[in-house]
Amino acid sequence: MTYRLDSKVRPLIWVECQIETYPTRIEYLVKAKSNFKRRSTANNVRISVPVPYDADSPKFKSSVGTVGYDTEASMMIWKIQSFPGQKQYIMRGHFGLPSIRDEEDASMDRALDVKFEIPYFTISGVQVRYLKITEKSGYQALPWVRYITRNGNYQIRLSLKHNKKKKSKRV
C-alpha cells in the first residue's frame, strides 16, 4: 500500500546550509536535524548540496558520516548511514575558486536535495489493525506489515552571502 499526504508536514530531516563566498574560495556550513522521535532512526541519509561548476580542491569535515564530491554533477554529497531521532549533525565544506569568475553563477540557483528512509515509522500514524491472507497455492504467508517512510520530493533553496574584505583605516 502506498499513499501520499497533501497536508503541510514538517520535514523529518531539516537541513540548513550557510554559504559564504570569498574572492578565491567558497565555504559551506551544513546542519542537519532530525524532527522525529528518539526511538526511530533514519537510514541511508543522503544530502546533496550544489556547488559552483568551477569549484576545485574540496576539503570536508563532518561530525558523522562521509562526504564526497561528485564532479560531474557539481554536488557535495554527505552520506549518513544511521541518523537517530532528535539529533543534529554538522558538516563543513571548503572549495577553491578560480581567480577570474562570473559574479552571477547559475550553479547556485539549484536546490539542496535530501533522501532517506525510516523503517517502522509512518508520518501520518496510519496502522493496519486487521490483516487476512487467503492463499490457495499452499504458500505459507505470514500476516505481518512492514512500515517504512521514504523521503518525498522536497528541496531546500540556498541563499548566498558574499563577504567583502573590510578596509582598515590607519590613523
Side-chain angles (χ1 to χ4, degrees), residues 52-149:
Y53 293 115
D54 55 356
D56 60 8
S57 60
K59 294 177 188 168
F60 307 110
K61 187 177 182 181
S62 67
S63 58
V64 69
T66 59
V67 186
Y69 177 51
D70 183 358
T71 54
E72 289 182 16
S74 291
M75 295 285 237
M76 177 172 45
I77 300 171
W78 185 15
K79 294 180 183 177
I80 304 170
Q81 282 297 108
S82 180
F83 199 144
Q86 299 299 311
K87 288 281 188 177
Q88 180 173 330
Y89 296 122
I90 296 174
M91 185 267 297
R92 294 180 186 273
H94 175 93
F95 292 88
L97 296 173
S99 58
I100 300 172
R101 61 189 319 260
D102 187 13
E103 279 296 316
E104 296 298 322
D105 193 352
S107 65
M108 299 313 293
D109 293 340
R110 299 180 297 161
L112 186 142
D113 186 46
V114 182
K115 295 184 186 319
F116 62 91
E117 62 182 33
I118 305 172
Y120 314 112
F121 180 81
T122 59
I123 189 78
S124 66
V126 71
Q127 291 183 340
V128 175
R129 296 283 184 193
Y130 179 76
L131 177 65
K132 182 178 180 180
I133 300 172
T134 307
E135 183 63 43
K136 295 185 180 185
S137 68
Y139 178 77
Q140 289 292 94
L142 297 173
W144 185 74
V145 177
R146 180 177 178 215
Y147 297 103
I148 189 164
T149 296

Side-chain angles (χ1 to χ4, degrees), residues 147-162:
Y147 297 103
I148 189 164
T149 296
R150 288 196 176 100
N151 62 293
N153 292 331
Y154 77 89
Q155 298 178 334
I156 300 167
R157 295 285 167 197
L158 302 175
S159 63
L160 194 61
K161 178 180 164 186
H162 293 282

